[in-house]
Amino acid sequence: MSAWDDLLKHIRAGDVLGTIRLVGELDPAERKAVAAELPRYLTGRPRGALDWGVWHRQLRPLLMAGAGCLSGASAVSGWLLRREFRGQVLDRVVDRVLGLLRRRPVEWQADVALRLAGRLRHDDLWPWAVAAALVRETGVQPPDGDAFMTGWLRRLDPATAAGDPLLTAYGPRLFEIDGLGLVDGWRVVESVVRLLDDGLLERAAVIDGLVGRLLRDGPAALIPLVGLHDRLDLDLDEAAERARDYARLLPAGPVAVADMALAQLRRLEEAGRLEEELFAEALEALAFRPEKKLLRSTISWAGDAVLREPAADPFQRVDTVLRAMAMIFAQDTLALQERAARLAVKLAPRAGADGREAVRDAAAGLPADLREKVSAAYGGGIAEAEVTVTPLSAAGDSRRIGPPFGSAEELAHAVGAFTWPVDPSDFERLLGGLAEWSHRDLEALRTALGSWWDPVDPHFFGVYDHESHESVVEALRRAFLAVVSPRDSMRLPQDKLTRGRWSSGPAPLCELYLRRVREVTVRFQNGGRCPVLLATPTSGAGHVDPGVLLDRVERLEAAGVQALAADLAQALLRLPREVGAADVARAGRLTSAAGRACAAWMRGERPADPEVTFILRRRESYGGYDWHELIATIAMPGAPEPIRDLVEARPQHSSTVGWWPAVMPSHREVVAAHLTSILLSEMDSSSSQAHVLASLAHGDGPLADGMAYALACGMGHARAADRAAATDALLTLAARGEVPAAELARAVTTLVTADVVKLNRVVSVLDDVTQAGAHEAVWAVIAGLLPGLLPQDGERPRAGLADLLAAGARAARIAGVRADLPEVGAIAARKGSSRLIQEARRLVQLVAYKSTL
């Protein structure tokens, strides 16, 4: 037997030690022969030929065989970094791989080290350990690859760092490593502090490095570096050297970074060591920040600083402070406006010309009572500023349907690339293209798909050893297989398939996609024809143009082919709500069952619009953790099979929620009802399906509780990106005059009072919508929210209520609202000066003031 045959026995048995021993016994010729076989064996294994566990056991001996038998440094480094080996456990492979590599010349080992280091990814653990060991042992110059340096930082141990050539190379530029954010930041802080204490890092270089990194990263600055800065406890001299850098950190850094920089600048100013130019720059930068905490600190600092005004110029610092207060007037937070106005009034007798002008210009935008106080202190005559109204942009839908496939080869190439993540428009094009080209040129399609399916790999079609999975990907592949080889298609399991976590999603909405593919598959397996599909969309929203649908039905009638049931049902659901008289008359002349169904639907003989109701139910899971679920009931009288199944809303998850709006583009209330349970369960998760709201809003059909609860859940999501999708949806609906304001107010009230949704998140969305021009819709929602959320006498106010009142004031001011708000008036009449009471007074005064115009 050959050396390869002997080695293959150890590989197939998963015998790592036997593989290493045999590799050590091979002569150069035998190692060369083995080296030639290894890549062919690794890549030539037929898909699905081995159970995953059996194949996984072979990977470690294969890794060792390549490390010991491949000759060139490039070949060995490429072998070690192959995708198949990257998941190996560090402790089980590093020493053994190094033992094999150390049998080679030192120069060769150094070459391997540099090649490995240059091709590493940031998540490569054991390959980094191999490369690092070789770099240290061979004495080669440590490489500059960021992934390699990140690996060093991840494994940095102060206890063993002394004498390490990697510390010598990378320590002085530790903060220049791009992958710093991929490492445990607090562990890095502790390591740097320890290295400084041990004299292994230079203090000034560390301070400069971390401040420079904070400047470089801007809004993405790493918060643990602030902790490191605090641990370093800079003295005044060290802080003064970096005063300009601290000022540069104020405009864009995270709150923690800006707060740290502000503290350093303030202590310098208090010690008389801050240049007046930097004081002015810092105040201006801070006054533009939106964070209330920073703005309160800014006003406090400014008020204290004017008491220490340099005598050289009696107006300079006062005017600097007044210009900053004028900027804060525009913050539209009443408590901040009051504090800034109070300081401006106090400084009025000392104001210079520049300061007076800035205050007078900005005070025009203040609430009436504050404006009057500032006006009296600054000479009077400050009129209210005209409200700037942002025009609401038209809601456009950017989704488009791609053109039909121009050839069988183009279709074959597209289905070969069809895999996760999938897009519904690609699915529809492929399914429609399959029907088109199987009828137009079946032989050309079979030829083009030759290498795609032959030989048949069961895994490729969702068939595994113990179960079968069916997603839209596997289902579509089965349909194509049924066209090119009906016999092989029939050999695949035909019974009900088990759905794993990669499935197309639970019934009912995604089930219609699967039904359509299955019936196409069965027709081709039985030797039938399918010249055209009825339900292929003609618009990005999922609609089918009525005239195009009639063309397709006529084509089926001319060919004597019966329409497929699920395809017909989907086509009817995708018709627009309004159909022209000419198309209705044309449909009446069709003779097939499908034609008669289209004619009836277009005449208005279709299911009534759905009615959606919800029940919010608290559940207790294992361990006593309470959670909520929304149970939707959808009533859609007159819905035929299989449409009737679509109204059964079950609280299940799906990986293809983005496909749902196109199922029923003229009945978005039904889709929204299905969506709510998923959005509710994902409210605080790191991923969400809230992005669907933006596309759902572009559909058609009346809206009520279904869309209201879906929007409320999206507005309450923890992630700003998901709340942005709710913002886009609201703007689309507002531009079309379709916001279900009363229902949305009720939904938000229900979810907020049940402590399911946080009010401050909802308010942030409403504010964004106001700024984009939909102030009237926002006011309608807020007016509906206030009665149910404002506290009664003796009740503790809910968090976020003051922000809601402030958002209402912003929308009301722009919209010119005139309203009687008894619930708000009752809060405003209370004694006290809490922010809730202040905001209530401002809102009542605003709408009452407007009513007198």
Side-chain angles (χ1 to χ4, degrees):
M1 296 180 67
S2 68
W4 169 246
D5 292 330
D6 290 338
L7 186 62
L8 195 55
K9 293 179 182 178
H10 293 289
I11 291 173
R12 287 175 172 166
D15 184 0
V16 177
L17 295 179
T19 299
I20 294 174
R21 184 179 61 254
L22 182 56
V23 166
E25 297 170 353
L26 299 178
D27 59 34
E30 290 173 324
R31 283 198 297 271
K32 183 176 181 181
V34 169
E37 295 291 341
L38 284 170
R40 286 197 288 267
Y41 183 75
L42 187 63
T43 60
R45 182 179 64 94
R47 284 182 299 181
L50 295 176
D51 178 80
W52 180 87
V54 173
W55 176 245
H56 183 71
R57 285 193 296 273
Q58 297 186 23
L59 291 178
R60 199 175 307 154
L62 276 170
L63 172 62
M64 303 304 163
C69 293
L70 294 169
S71 59
S74 176
V76 170
S77 59
W79 182 261
L80 297 181
L81 291 175
R82 286 189 68 98
R83 173 178 52 84
E84 293 88 348
F85 302 136
R86 279 185 144 125
Q88 292 296 310
V89 179
L90 183 147
D91 294 337
R92 297 185 179 182
V93 299
V94 172
D95 288 341
R96 289 169 179 167
V97 169
L98 285 171
L100 290 165
L101 299 181
R102 286 166 181 155
R103 299 174 183 177
R104 315 291 185 94
V106 173
E107 295 79 6
W108 183 93
Q109 295 179 47
D111 193 4
V112 169
L114 295 178
R115 290 177 184 273
L116 275 177
R119 295 177 57 186
L120 286 174
R121 300 185 305 190
H122 282 99
D123 57 353
D124 284 330
L125 299 181
W126 74 261
W128 177 87
V130 170
L134 294 177
V135 167
R136 289 175 172 128
E137 293 170 10
T138 62
V140 69
Q141 177 67 32
D144 289 335
D146 189 74
F148 185 79
M149 292 191 290
T150 302
W152 164 77
L153 192 57
R154 184 180 288 118
R155 300 289 295 274
L156 178 60
D157 183 359
T160 60
D164 185 359
L166 298 186
L167 175 64
T168 303
Y170 304 141
R173 48 194 179 121
L174 181 152
F175 298 100
E176 299 173 14
I177 299 174
D178 289 339
L180 178 61
L182 303 176
V183 182
D184 181 351
W186 296 109
R187 185 176 178 275
V188 172
V189 169
E190 294 301 326
S191 296
V192 171
V193 171
R194 171 79 178 276
L195 291 170
L196 282 169
D197 291 342
D198 293 344
L200 298 177
L201 290 178
E202 198 271 318
R203 178 178 171 86
V206 168
I207 297 174
D208 288 338
L210 84 85
V211 173
R213 182 58 183 252
L214 292 172
L215 283 168
R216 166 189 153 184
D217 288 348
L222 304 172
I223 303 305
L225 295 187
V226 177
L228 175 58
H229 187 280
D230 293 341
R231 295 280 295 276
L232 294 177
D233 191 21
L234 277 65
D235 60 32
L236 278 175
D237 290 336
E238 290 173 323
E241 290 176 12
R242 297 162 180 87
R244 290 193 177 276
D245 289 333
Y246 291 132
R248 292 166 58 200
L249 286 172
L250 294 174
V255 174
V257 174
D259 195 43
M260 176 271 290
L262 169 58
Q264 293 299 319
L265 292 169
R266 184 166 185 171
R267 68 190 283 243
L268 288 172
E269 185 272 326
E270 290 172 352
R273 300 188 61 177
L274 184 65
E275 297 176 10
E276 205 65 22
E277 174 191 353
L278 286 182
F279 174 72
E281 180 182 335
L283 278 192
E284 180 178 355
L286 289 165
F288 276 113
R289 297 285 305 223
E291 298 87 0
K292 297 180 180 65
K293 176 180 183 293
L294 287 175
L295 291 168
R296 287 194 297 268
S297 298
T298 301
I299 298 171
S300 173
W301 179 27
D304 291 342
V306 290
L307 300 178
R308 295 183 290 272
E309 180 183 349
D313 186 345
F315 297 116
Q316 182 179 6
R317 180 163 289 192
V318 170
D319 282 0
T320 295
V321 168
L322 288 175
R323 285 193 295 269
M325 295 307 102
M327 296 176 195
I328 295 176
F329 287 175
Q331 286 290 334
D332 203 19
T333 298
L334 185 58
L336 291 171
Q337 290 175 329
E338 286 185 337
R339 294 185 65 179
R342 192 181 307 122
L343 181 55
V345 170
K346 181 179 179 180
L347 295 177
R350 302 166 57 191
D354 290 344
R356 298 181 68 82
E357 181 180 2
V359 168
R360 287 185 61 85
D361 289 344
L366 287 172
D369 57 335
L370 294 180
R371 185 176 68 253
E372 291 168 0
K373 292 177 181 178
V374 174
S375 180
Y378 282 82
I382 300 178
E384 181 183 12
E386 293 185 8
V387 178
T388 301
V389 179
T390 302
L392 185 60
S393 302
D397 190 353
S398 61
R399 292 171 296 171
R400 297 290 183 269
I401 293 294
F405 292 102
S407 66
E409 291 76 14
E410 183 183 346
L411 174 60
H413 175 76
V415 75
F418 187 65
T419 186
W420 291 103
V422 292
D423 184 271
S425 62
D426 292 338
F427 168 85
E428 295 290 0
R429 287 185 70 220
L430 286 167
L431 191 59
L434 175 63
E436 176 70 20
W437 282 97
S438 65
H439 181 71
R440 180 189 294 189
D441 196 337
L442 179 59
E443 289 307 314
L445 182 58
R446 286 175 172 167
T447 300
L449 290 169
S451 61
W452 173 80
W453 67 276
D454 190 13
V456 174
D457 173 14
H459 287 194
F460 191 60
F461 296 96
V463 180
Y464 298 88
D465 296 333
H466 304 294
E467 62 180 2
S468 297
H469 293 277
E470 184 186 41
S471 73
V472 287
V473 173
E474 285 88 4
L476 189 68
R477 289 171 180 168
R478 287 170 175 249
F480 273 78
L481 183 62
V483 170
V484 296
S485 182
R487 180 178 300 178
D488 284 297
S489 176
M490 291 291 290
R491 289 174 179 168
L492 296 175
Q494 303 297 310
D495 55 349
K496 186 70 173 178
L497 299 173
T498 301
R499 292 199 179 90
R501 65 188 181 95
W502 294 284
S503 69
S504 65
L509 287 182
C510 277
E511 183 68 25
L512 192 52
Y513 287 103
L514 292 172
R515 288 186 188 181
R516 290 170 57 210
V517 186
R518 291 190 202 118
E519 63 185 7
V520 169
T521 302
V522 170
R523 174 162 290 186
F524 284 124
Q525 286 175 343
N526 295 333
R529 294 185 300 154
C530 188
V532 67
L533 293 178
L534 303 180
T536 304
T538 58
S539 76
H543 284 108
V544 175
D545 181 86
V548 174
L549 176 57
L550 296 177
D551 292 340
R552 294 169 179 172
V553 175
E554 289 171 351
R555 185 175 176 184
L556 291 181
E557 289 185 353
V561 176
Q562 183 178 357
L564 296 167
D567 187 44
L568 174 61
Q570 178 73 92
L572 295 177
L573 285 172
R574 284 178 167 168
L575 281 170
R577 299 181 68 83
E578 300 296 330
V579 179
D583 287 325
V584 173
R586 180 183 168 193
R589 296 191 289 271
L590 297 172
T591 58
S592 63
R596 293 193 296 273
C598 290
W601 192 282
M602 291 181 180
R603 286 196 302 268
E605 300 171 17
R606 53 194 179 214
D609 287 326
E611 295 182 4
V612 178
T613 56
F614 287 97
I615 296 175
L616 180 65
R617 184 166 60 185
R618 180 185 290 271
R619 303 288 297 271
E620 182 175 324
S621 63
Y622 180 78
Y625 174 74
D626 288 345
W627 53 284
H628 289 81
E629 61 179 353
L630 274 170
I631 307 300
T633 301
I634 308 172
M636 196 174 182
E641 186 76 25
I643 297 174
R644 186 163 52 250
D645 294 341
L646 300 182
V647 302
E648 183 184 352
R650 298 197 291 268
Q652 295 175 312
H653 289 269
S654 171
S655 58
T656 52
V657 171
W659 295 50
W660 293 6
V663 175
M664 307 176 70
S666 294
H667 296 85
R668 53 191 168 171
E669 181 78 350
V670 173
V671 179
H674 284 270
L675 187 59
T676 51
S677 63
I678 293 179
L679 295 184
L680 185 73
S681 65
E682 296 177 340
M683 191 95 57
D684 294 305
S685 68
S686 59
S687 61
S688 172
Q689 305 285 359
H691 62 89
V692 181
L693 289 170
S695 57
L696 183 60
H698 286 286
D700 204 355
L703 298 177
D705 284 351
M707 181 62 86
Y709 272 92
L711 284 171
C713 292
M715 295 164 74
H717 200 281
R719 292 201 321 161
D722 293 293
R723 295 198 298 272
T727 301
D728 290 344
L730 272 172
L731 288 172
T732 296
L733 296 176
R736 298 166 61 165
E738 296 176 340
V739 175
E743 293 87 349
L744 180 56
R746 287 199 302 269
V748 171
T749 300
T750 299
L751 296 177
V752 168
T753 53
D755 294 324
V756 177
V757 164
K758 294 183 178 179
L759 183 57
N760 63 326
R761 297 174 183 174
V762 174
V763 171
S764 70
V765 172
L766 294 174
D767 262 336
D768 289 344
V769 174
T770 294
Q771 293 174 14
H775 39 272
E776 293 181 351
V778 169
W779 172 253
V781 173
I782 292 178
L785 284 172
L786 293 175
L789 293 180
L790 288 174
Q792 301 297 317
D793 288 338
E795 287 185 349
R796 184 174 181 177
R798 185 175 301 277
L801 271 177
D803 291 328
L804 179 65
L805 288 168
R810 285 187 281 274
R813 183 169 184 262
I814 299 172
V817 169
R818 304 177 183 182
D820 181 25
L821 304 173
E823 296 87 356
V824 182
I827 301 295
R830 294 180 181 179
K831 296 180 180 180
S833 58
S834 68
R835 183 168 173 242
L836 177 68
I837 294 175
Q838 289 179 323
E839 293 292 355
R841 290 170 181 168
R842 173 165 70 151
L843 180 55
V844 168
Q845 183 186 53
L846 178 67
V847 295
Y849 177 75
K850 289 289 182 184
S851 67
T852 64
L853 293 180

